[in-house]
Amino acid sequence: MFTPATAEQRFVLDHIVRLSEISAEATPDLLDAVLDGAGQFAAGEWAPLERLGDTEGARWTEQGVTMPEGFAAAYRAYVEGGWGTIGSPAEHGGQGLPVSLSVAVLETLGTANMGFCLCPVLTVGAVEALHHHGSPEQQAQYLPRLATGEWTGTMNLTEPQAGSDVGAVKTKAEPAGDGKWKIKGTKIYISFGDHDMADNIVHLVLARTPGAPAGTKGLSLFLVPKYRLNADGTPGDFNDIKVVSIEHKMGLHASPTCVLSFGDNDDCIGELIGPELGGIRAMFTMMNNARLNVGLQGVQVAERATQRAVAYARERVQGYRGGAPTAIIEHPDVRRMLLRMKAQTQAARALVYYAFGQLDRGRAGDAEADKRVELLTPLAKAHATDLGNEVASLGLQVHGGMGYIEETGAAQHFRDARITPIYEGTNGIQAADLVGRKLSMDNGATLLGLLADMRAEAEDAGLRALIDACEDVGRDLLGSDADDRLAASYPFLTMLSVAVCGWLMEKSGRLAAQGDGEPGFLQMKQAAARFYVEQIVPEALGLRAAAMAKAAALYAVGAEAFAA
Amino acid sequence: MFTPATAEQRFVLDHIVRLSEISAEATPDLLDAVLDGAGQFAAGEWAPLERLGDTEGARWTEQGVTMPEGFAAAYRAYVEGGWGTIGSPAEHGGQGLPVSLSVAVLETLGTANMGFCLCPVLTVGAVEALHHHGSPEQQAQYLPRLATGEWTGTMNLTEPQAGSDVGAVKTKAEPAGDGKWKIKGTKIYISFGDHDMADNIVHLVLARTPGAPAGTKGLSLFLVPKYRLNADGTPGDFNDIKVVSIEHKMGLHASPTCVLSFGDNDDCIGELIGPELGGIRAMFTMMNNARLNVGLQGVQVAERATQRAVAYARERVQGYRGGAPTAIIEHPDVRRMLLRMKAQTQAARALVYYAFGQLDRGRAGDAEADKRVELLTPLAKAHATDLGNEVASLGLQVHGGMGYIEETGAAQHFRDARITPIYEGTNGIQAADLVGRKLSMDNGATLLGLLADMRAEAEDAGLRALIDACEDVGRDLLGSDADDRLAASYPFLTMLSVAVCGWLMEKSGRLAAQGDGEPGFLQMKQAAARFYVEQIVPEALGLRAAAMAKAAALYAVGAEAFAA
């Protein structure tokens, strides 16, 4: 049922990321070795556990969280195979290859087992934060084991009263002597906040130091290990972090979502990462990485749902075509759904990989790429997860009644996908980020630069019209007040995302027409590109009216009238 | 958490259905008594069981299906309150009031408890089939008890190899003497195929008689009670119908989805309903009713999800507005989601009730209305269920992380809603019905007549453009071959549905501006109408390209390339 999308990944790395421009090390041979190896590993070790992760799921006891049978061994195999090290810094035990390439590995692992893959994704976020903001001692103590995945990482932001409003965090950090801090507070929604697959868990915790100002400016980031380190660097004493419970979620059951209580016995010790009150900056390092990786989850679930639906539609015989019984893939509307799934999955992948490619270029010193990835991050997070949900829903629909029966597996994708537009900043928060900070970067020049690049290559008249519409709306929003920007934010995010995807898809179709490779693969890329440009791009033009509407329409009635 | 939408129902019955034109009996006082009474009953007896229906659900044992604690008593209260009798024929123990009014009662019951309400809905379908196709003896024996709900009904169409293709049914009926038939075969997906809430269950079963031709033409419909009737009409001997299992579904757990085996011991006796080989005609009577009622489920789940999200958004404080902490309903993008939910829920209700109103008019002898409800049935079924899913998803999103936690309740709506685009003919089958039989009625005149009525009242330029686009596409499809029609069917169904909803919503907004009533309610109707016309109607115009695209784009690659 699971097939790694290696041909797709190779195509996108070659033609959308243009990885050869980024890294001389990432030769075609190396690429093939990494993509094929990750595919074989994921198919052999992770995919077989996907259903068990859903049906049994992670379990909580007073002693902590237990993963289902087989997960610990499969995780060890991942660590031993070195799959966590690809994009990690070479000076700390990683292979230092482009992030874009490590992303292809994560895509494959997450397509095989989306909930499980969240554990490595969070660890990558912790590596990023320590690599950029940790002290040399912290880096030396923690990074080598995080880079391999021997220890895992978490992000501890949310509290019951502090969801989208991170500035409302109340967890406290008090000086404990020796430059250490005592941590006290409760965090919720901590993915892989506890489990039994690694020897230590490194929590990165946002907390407030004594006398810190209110809001996000008063936050500091702390490194809080589950087990304190002995003098030789091995895990030692328990650090007073209690797993209060795990959530009973609609999906993603393989990923334990923990409530963690730090310092119930006043004995939870943390270290400051970066300067005091520098928490929000360090957090954004983690969060931007995490947001792109959540966009990647949209690709994962879309890819898997598509594979499952295609397999079903080729097998299921129902009705007739030309007088003969036929597999349902031959019926026009089923085929429309499947082609839409293929096109949207490819579009999501192109968008997310393109963003990661800009991240790699930015790290190599390209200042324009650095800004572009900032602009693209809300699009990649929000739109790719929206597409993951759309594709998972279409996949369920292709199965008919069987899709609603849990044993078939299509329902799991539909349930798993639904968290991705919510966590790491809801998609509404992404849209607010787009029309706020991102649109205003260089007074709009970052957006206009992207649109100019798109316009220079776009050929289809509808696509060009969409790009023009995005520019019209963007200029209109630049001159609008905050409420009007926010009222239009979501439709604008979708329009702009589809325009970017349309540009990348049209280009992919052209390249596939010229390219050499497996004919069926290249023909499907062209068909998907054509479908995207001819049918999905025009839909996005239909959002122009909403993106130009003002907040007044939303506030025509008071809140109490919504309950009338 | 549950509030019956009586003001909305009254508005739609008065202004969209125009019930006073249909029935002199349905006076304002009667309307209020029925709507308020049903609301109080549903809030008091059915809504409190909704969560238990999900968490515990119906259970299977060798002895049959057991409903969760409290369901049997709540069902008895429904029967005793006479809530099942409103739209049933007066000559068979019903009240003979317009179907449109009984629909409002079903909406309220299903908003309180969607899975539970499927039991009365199926019983209504059985009443319809027997009323139109049963013999006088069958009507006398069965209708009075079905009309009250004392006995419940089921529809037995699907078999493992016969889903969307009903003509592939294999269940057999052999003459058993006395004009009776022996039934033998296995049926799947039988909602409320067994339960412990009523003294008898009346299965309507499609089966094939000896020598019957292949396909749908060879089907006959049989009445097969769980318990055969004694001479005095009371339930007697068990009729050899085994409940093999119930499905493990993603949602709608209160509704047992049964696999039924008829005649394992060659002792299952049925009676023919209507003439031999007349099964498909009788089935359509049931199915058309059921399709509109599934559309109504879209309204139910949308209404409930909206109520839950509005309540949460008014309570949940997060972030600031004007410097002060604020409930999230005041944030522009949250408000956009909620206003969209209100608008889409009202639109779905207007569409479904309008269709039922045409059904009532058709029964009263209006031939045009009879055709119009046929045209509207696929729209009401498919589009209202699509909207139910969209609204349930938005409702979950409004809850943020809490929405993904099962205890909150938003996830249940999202899971429950997902079956509605699948059962009673997938929405793809509805789209095929629209561009096939329905579009061709009177060579397109039924569609053009509807569009003309819409154009005569529509004021907004965008709405008029959408109506024109529907006519263009409709005329194009009338001249297209079958594959091209089917390739365009789903986008066309959505465009046309939005056009009908836009027409009804714009009209509702106008009437609300002139109307008297609760000011908050009337203002919200105007705001929802404006949002619908200004933002949702233009989106549907974006589907024109897809609705004009041809099948060739879908068949550019072969089926095997989808797995490449």
Side-chain angles (χ1 to χ4, degrees), chain A residues 160 163 165 248 250 316 318 321 330 335 342 393 397 404 406 415 418 421 483 554-555 557 562, chain B residues 160 163 165 248 250 316 318 321 330 335 342 393 397 402 404 406 415 418 421 483 554-555 557 562:
Chain A
D165 181 9
H248 175 216
M250 187 173 72
R316 170 73 172 168
Q318 193 78 173
R321 237 180 119 72
E330 299 299 341
R335 197 168 264 242
K342 293 290 278 190
S393 182
Q397 188 72 21
Y404 204 57
E406 285 289 357
R415 289 185 289 98
R418 192 61 189 82
D483 273 5
L554 303 177
Y555 294 94
V557 292
F562 281 80
Chain B
D165 180 9
H248 175 217
M250 186 173 72
R316 170 73 172 168
Q318 192 78 172
R321 238 180 118 72
E330 299 298 341
R335 198 168 264 242
K342 294 290 278 191
S393 182
Q397 188 73 19
M402 290 294 289
Y404 204 58
E406 285 289 355
R415 289 185 289 99
R418 192 61 188 84
D483 274 3
L554 304 177
Y555 294 94
V557 292
F562 281 79

Side-chain angles (χ1 to χ4, degrees), chain B residues 61-296:
Chain B
T61 70
E62 286 281 344
Q63 282 67 50
V65 173
T66 311
M67 294 295 289
E69 181 79 27
F71 274 69
Y75 186 76
R76 257 194 320 275
Y78 157 85
V79 173
E80 285 162 10
W83 296 111
T85 62
I86 294 171
S88 298
E91 62 271 37
H92 298 297
Q95 300 186 47
L97 288 164
V99 173
S100 322
L101 181 55
S102 69
V103 158
V105 173
L106 281 180
E107 183 203 324
T108 296
L109 289 168
T111 304
N113 197 324
M114 181 182 160
F116 196 1
C117 188
L118 199 52
C119 188
V121 161
L122 288 158
T123 305
V124 168
V127 168
E128 286 292 312
L130 281 176
H131 182 51
H132 288 99
H133 304 284
S135 68
E137 294 73 24
Q138 288 168 341
Q139 293 180 347
Q141 283 185 301
Y142 288 95
L143 273 181
R145 270 140 169 170
L146 284 169
T148 57
E150 190 180 339
W151 298 347
T152 69
T154 73
M155 285 167 62
N156 289 252
L157 281 55
T158 307
E159 300 177 10
Q161 79 295 345
S164 295
D165 180 9
V166 179
V169 155
K170 286 183 181 167
T171 293
K172 282 185 187 151
E174 308 258 359
D178 293 345
K180 306 267 175 153
W181 299 75
K182 284 205 168 182
I183 310 295
K184 197 173 179 72
T186 300
K187 294 287 183 177
I188 63 170
Y189 298 157
I190 310 307
S191 297
F192 282 95
D194 196 48
H195 60 79
D196 56 0
M197 306 189 298
D199 295 335
N200 210 354
I201 300 175
V202 180
H203 302 290
L204 303 193
V205 181
L206 275 186
R208 205 172 284 283
T209 48
T216 54
K217 285 190 297 285
L219 297 175
S220 305
L221 186 66
F222 294 88
L223 186 164
V224 189
K226 178 177 176 182
Y227 298 106
R228 297 178 205 157
L229 303 196
N230 295 319
D232 66 356
T234 57
D237 293 339
F238 181 64
N239 197 22
D240 190 19
I241 303 169
K242 187 176 169 193
V243 190
V244 178
S245 62
I246 64 174
E247 304 292 353
H248 175 217
K249 308 192 299 295
M250 186 173 72
L252 218 70
H253 298 155
S255 165
T257 304
C258 302
V259 177
L260 295 183
S261 185
F262 294 85
D264 276 5
N265 304 306
D266 288 323
D267 195 27
C268 178
I269 303 295
E271 301 175 26
L272 196 56
I273 301 176
E276 195 178 341
L277 307 186
I280 198 70
R281 199 168 146 255
M283 194 194 76
F284 269 111
T285 304
M286 280 193 293
M287 231 166 52
N288 281 333
N289 184 300
R291 286 178 171 182
L292 288 177
N293 272 309
V294 172
L296 185 67

Side-chain angles (χ1 to χ4, degrees), chain A residues 279-332:
Chain A
I280 198 70
R281 198 168 148 257
M283 194 195 75
F284 269 111
T285 305
M286 278 194 294
M287 233 167 51
N288 281 333
N289 183 299
R291 286 176 172 183
L292 289 177
N293 272 311
V294 172
L296 185 66
Q297 291 188 308
V299 181
Q300 294 162 6
V301 75
E303 176 64 34
R304 189 66 182 272
T306 302
Q307 290 187 13
R308 199 182 289 275
V310 166
Y312 182 81
R314 293 180 73 193
E315 274 170 22
R316 170 73 172 168
V317 173
Q318 193 78 173
Y320 296 82
R321 237 180 119 72
T326 183
I328 63 171
I329 193 171
E330 299 299 341
H331 291 308

Side-chain angles (χ1 to χ4, degrees), chain B residues 326-339:
Chain B
T326 184
I328 62 171
I329 194 171
E330 299 298 341
H331 291 307
D333 189 61
V334 173
R335 198 168 264 242
R336 176 192 65 82
M337 289 193 276
L338 292 171
L339 188 52

Side-chain angles (χ1 to χ4, degrees), chain A residues 160-165 189 247-252 310 314 316 318-321 329-333 335-336 338-339 342 393 396-397 400-402 404-407 411 414-416 418-419 421-422 426-428 483 486-487 489-491 518 520-521 523-524 527 530-531 534-535 538-539 542-543 545-546 549 553-555 557-564, chain B residues 160-165 189 247-252 310 314 316 318-321 329-333 335-336 338-339 342 393 396-397 400-402 404-407 411 414-416 418-419 421-422 426-428 483 486-487 489-491 518 520-521 523-524 527 530-531 534-535 538-539 542-543 545-546 549 553-555 557-564:
Chain A
Q161 79 295 344
S164 295
D165 181 9
Y189 298 156
E247 305 292 353
H248 175 216
K249 306 193 300 295
M250 187 173 72
L252 218 70
V310 166
R314 293 180 73 193
R316 170 73 172 168
Q318 193 78 173
Y320 296 82
R321 237 180 119 72
I329 193 171
E330 299 299 341
H331 291 308
D333 190 61
R335 197 168 264 242
R336 177 193 63 83
L338 293 171
L339 188 52
K342 293 290 278 190
S393 182
L396 195 155
Q397 188 72 21
M402 289 295 288
Y404 204 57
I405 310 294
E406 285 289 357
E407 285 78 359
F414 182 73
R415 289 185 289 98
D416 285 355
R418 192 61 189 82
I419 187 59
I422 295 173
T426 64
N427 286 3
D483 273 5
L486 290 167
S489 60
Y490 212 103
E518 205 275 302
F521 170 77
Q523 284 161 18
M524 176 50 77
R530 185 180 157 197
F531 185 88
E534 292 182 357
Q535 301 205 22
E539 285 176 28
L543 295 170
L554 303 177
Y555 294 94
V557 292
E560 61 292 345
F562 281 80
Chain B
Q161 79 295 345
S164 295
D165 180 9
Y189 298 157
E247 304 292 353
H248 175 217
K249 308 192 299 295
M250 186 173 72
L252 218 70
V310 166
R314 293 181 71 193
R316 170 73 172 168
Q318 192 78 172
Y320 296 82
R321 238 180 118 72
I329 194 171
E330 299 298 341
H331 291 307
D333 189 61
R335 198 168 264 242
R336 176 192 65 82
L338 292 171
L339 188 52
K342 294 290 278 191
S393 182
L396 194 154
Q397 188 73 19
M402 290 294 289
Y404 204 58
I405 310 293
E406 285 289 355
E407 285 78 358
F414 182 74
R415 289 185 289 99
D416 285 355
R418 192 61 188 84
I419 188 59
I422 296 174
T426 65
N427 286 3
D483 274 3
L486 290 167
S489 61
Y490 212 103
E518 204 273 304
F521 170 76
Q523 285 161 17
M524 177 49 77
R530 186 180 156 197
F531 184 89
E534 292 182 357
Q535 299 203 24
E539 285 175 28
L543 294 170
L554 304 177
Y555 294 94
V557 292
E560 61 293 345
F562 281 79

Side-chain angles (χ1 to χ4, degrees), chain B residues 466 469-470 473 490-500 540 543-544 547:
Chain B
L466 181 60
C470 288
V473 174
Y490 212 103
F492 178 57
L493 179 144
T494 303
M495 282 177 72
L496 183 58
S497 300
V498 175
V500 173
L543 294 170
R544 191 181 193 282

